[in-house]
Amino acid sequence: MQLQPEHFISVTFETEVKDADSVRELIEKCAKNVLERENIPFDAEIDARVVDAEEIRRLNAEFRDKDVVTDVLSFPMFDYYNGAPREDLEPDPESGRVMLGDMVLCYTRACEQAEEYGHSAARECGFLTTHSVLHLLGYDHERGEDDTARMRRREKEYLEAIGLTRDDG
């Protein structure tokens, strides 16, 4: 009998990233951290893509009608609301995992924002991963002040739990 769910994070690089192995480990760590802290009780899977500015701009235009470079996009597979699923989730018969969705992170934009905000690229990538996984679980900062506050509290708490704070330099 499995006591703890096993979460799988697939990270694909579609652009050149300095120290890609560290970035991969960071994305995996942050995504799993959110899933564990949200008490996701089943084996979950997330596909993460690290892309360049042009690709994320294209996706943002195609799926959100916003023809601008953004930092991260989330494409949930299921209808969640603030961490609670609204429908039964069926695991993939081959892997036994439930695919939660896709995350697309623009590494160059993350590095630019890290410099703007005065913290490390690792902290920014960790924040964006945490932010995206929360979106995959139905959290949304665009629904209203209460939902925004709930999401921001979780982001801060989850990042602090793994040592990624705004003042990490």
Side-chain angles (χ1 to χ4, degrees), residues 12-52:
T12 306
F13 291 89
E14 298 177 16
T15 188
E16 193 169 320
V17 172
K18 181 182 176 187
D19 204 7
D21 288 340
S22 292
V23 173
R24 177 187 321 281
E25 289 172 16
L26 176 70
I27 290 171
E28 290 172 354
K29 178 180 180 177
C30 291
K32 287 178 180 180
N33 179 53
V34 173
L35 297 174
E36 289 165 9
R37 291 180 181 284
E38 285 290 315
N39 297 310
I40 300 304
F42 49 82
D43 295 349
E45 183 172 351
I46 296 171
D47 282 339
R49 295 170 48 206
V50 180
V51 301
D52 63 16

Side-chain angles (χ1 to χ4, degrees), residues 37-135:
R37 291 180 181 284
E38 285 290 315
N39 297 310
I40 300 304
F42 49 82
D43 295 349
E45 183 172 351
I46 296 171
D47 282 339
R49 295 170 48 206
V50 180
V51 301
D52 63 16
E54 183 54 33
E55 176 63 4
I56 207 157
R57 184 207 57 76
R58 185 189 71 73
L59 292 168
N60 204 18
E62 180 179 344
F63 292 101
R64 297 181 67 225
D65 291 323
K66 297 182 179 185
D67 194 6
V68 296
V69 173
T70 191
D71 48 17
V72 71
L73 293 170
S74 306
F75 299 98
M77 293 287 289
F78 293 100
D79 196 12
Y80 269 80
Y81 182 76
N82 289 337
R86 291 186 177 175
E87 59 183 84
D88 291 334
L89 305 177
E90 293 292 325
D92 176 77
E94 290 182 31
S95 71
R97 296 185 292 257
V98 174
M99 171 54 81
L100 294 179
D102 299 326
M103 175 187 105
V104 183
L105 182 133
C106 179
Y107 186 74
T108 53
R109 185 67 192 124
C111 290
E112 291 167 0
Q113 288 177 177
E115 191 171 311
E116 289 171 24
Y117 300 143
H119 54 243
S120 70
R123 195 279 177 190
E124 189 64 16
C125 287
F127 168 79
L128 294 173
T129 298
T130 298
H131 181 85
S132 182
V133 174
L134 286 171
H135 274 309

